[in-house]
Amino acid sequence: MNTKPHNAPNQIVMFSPSGALVDEALLDRACFNLRDQHGFQVTEMPETRLRVQRFAGDETTRVLSLEHALCLNTPSVLMATRGGYGLSRLLPLLNFPELVSRLNSNAHLLCGHSDITSLQLALMKAGAEPSTLLHGPMACFDFGAEQGANPLTAEHFLRAVNKYAVDIEWPAAHFGIDNHNPVTTFEGPVWGGNLTLLCSLLGTPWLPSMPGGILVLEDVNEPAYKIERMLLQLLHAGVLAQQQAVVLGNFCEPKPGTHDNGYTLSSAAEFVQRQLNHVPVLLNFPFGHCTPKACWFQGGMGTLMLGSGHSARLTQTPR
């Protein structure tokens, strides 16, 4: 059982802003595990288990569910049950200044990744405090297993919720960093999320400008050449060159085929970094559609350190 400080949110509210649940048993187990193993009070928005085609309710229903969740006056972790697809339909319907006002004043923590990327970035652009936007686990994938969450996933999540702190170390391959320096340090706002969703926001009103940032990217089941193409789209749009560093997480990319002839995600990252010159690219960040999963605060100032032996560390304290 986890003991929480008095100022940490003790309630998790489940909501489904995107795709419909694939297996309700996963959500049942997630709710049980979060209560039993980690001591949270867990509730669900009434619309959480709806299905209309592939979506968790029609657009009006999902908008109202999100609005009502943000109106709760008890500071809560608002955790998405899953991603999928659906938030792109909602963005033109959402009153972001009003949502941000509710999110900030009620001190909620909106938690999720994948399709939630677009919602978090739009909220951040509209003025959401970084301490209200946790880019992290979701209920079904990360807490729905019978044994509960992976211990490292739970550790990262509980540190973020209880202490508003991020501390992640990993062995990072990298391009564009001088190996002769004992420690290389970058400081800036940590932001990003799903690569496909980020690219989908280019040219829209919902993509924030984050010069000097530490851009974290992940995706799922995309071959390396498609990942490179999207990275080049961000490059040509001027996003990558503004960053302190680009950090690539887990991409679950398919195995290279015979036609790839040795071309991999690492090849794509190296090529993109050569176009950037001064902006380094790091790989293997433990985040994405994977487990164990780290988490981080969207837009919160962070410090990225790369030491000798390719050991990398990302820290944040948004409060």
Side-chain angles (χ1 to χ4, degrees):
M1 188 70 67
N2 180 60
T3 302
K4 305 180 194 315
H6 71 279
N7 61 341
N10 190 56
Q11 176 173 271
I12 293 180
V13 178
M14 301 293 183
F15 74 114
S16 300
S18 300
L21 297 180
V22 175
D23 182 356
E24 291 193 25
L26 293 174
L27 181 56
D28 292 336
R29 285 199 295 266
C31 293
F32 175 82
N33 289 330
L34 284 162
R35 289 190 193 102
D36 185 65
Q37 297 182 8
H38 304 300
F40 288 99
Q41 299 172 20
V42 183
T43 62
E44 297 179 26
M45 294 303 295
E47 306 83 4
T48 298
R49 299 177 186 244
L50 292 182
R51 172 180 283 276
V52 173
Q53 296 181 331
R54 63 176 295 121
F55 307 103
D58 61 24
E59 286 72 51
T60 300
T61 299
R62 286 182 285 131
V63 166
L64 290 174
S65 180
L66 176 59
E67 291 175 344
H68 293 161
L70 291 173
C71 281
L72 297 172
N73 56 19
T74 300
S76 305
V77 179
L78 308 180
M79 180 178 286
T81 58
R82 65 179 300 262
Y85 169 73
L87 269 163
S88 298
R89 289 186 169 198
L90 302 190
L91 296 179
L93 309 177
L94 294 172
N95 183 338
F96 282 102
E98 178 63 25
L99 295 181
V100 165
S101 176
R102 295 175 184 176
L103 185 62
N104 289 345
S105 62
N106 291 327
H108 293 313
L109 186 57
L110 181 68
C111 183
H113 64 283
S114 190
D115 202 46
I116 313 305
T117 297
S118 56
L119 176 62
Q120 286 194 345
L121 291 178
L123 287 167
M124 182 173 68
K125 183 174 182 180
E129 296 290 338
S131 59
T132 67
L133 301 174
L134 184 62
H135 210 72
M138 291 190 286
C140 292
F141 182 89
D142 295 295
F143 292 98
E146 291 185 11
Q147 69 273 22
N150 174 277
L152 274 176
T153 299
E155 178 184 328
H156 289 306
F157 174 70
L158 294 173
R159 182 188 293 117
V161 172
N162 291 340
K163 300 179 180 179
Y164 286 88
V166 167
D167 193 341
I168 306 157
E169 293 188 61
W170 79 100
H174 62 80
F175 299 103
I177 297 177
D178 187 351
N179 288 318
H180 294 95
N181 293 333
V183 178
T184 305
T185 302
F186 306 93
E187 294 185 346
V190 183
W191 73 292
N194 182 265
L195 176 58
T196 296
L197 268 296
L198 197 71
C199 287
S200 78
L201 294 182
L202 287 169
T204 73
W206 304 293
L207 181 65
S209 175
M210 298 294 287
I214 298 169
L215 176 59
V216 179
L217 298 169
E218 60 83 25
D219 217 312
V220 59
N221 294 336
E222 298 285 4
Y225 77 90
K226 289 189 177 181
I227 296 168
E228 179 181 312
R229 184 164 57 199
M230 287 187 281
L231 290 172
L232 290 175
Q233 185 180 2
L234 293 178
L235 171 73
H236 300 322
V239 174
L240 297 190
Q242 297 180 27
Q243 306 307 307
Q244 292 285 320
V246 176
V247 179
L248 302 183
N250 188 295
F251 282 80
C252 308
E253 70 270 16
K255 277 187 176 182
T258 304
H259 183 66
D260 288 305
N261 194 30
Y263 172 82
T264 64
L265 176 61
S266 182
S267 310
E270 183 178 17
F271 177 81
V272 171
Q273 197 285 319
R274 288 204 307 268
Q275 320 312 305
L276 285 168
N277 295 321
H278 66 287
V279 180
V281 175
L282 286 72
L283 293 89
N284 305 327
F285 185 61
F287 184 82
H289 293 67
C290 62
T291 190
K293 179 185 280 96
C295 53
W296 40 275
F297 290 93
Q298 189 76 263
M301 291 298 294
T303 300
L304 173 63
M305 293 186 295
L306 184 68
S308 58
H310 300 277
S311 174
R313 184 182 183 188
L314 177 66
T315 57
Q316 275 183 304
T317 51
R319 274 193 176 181

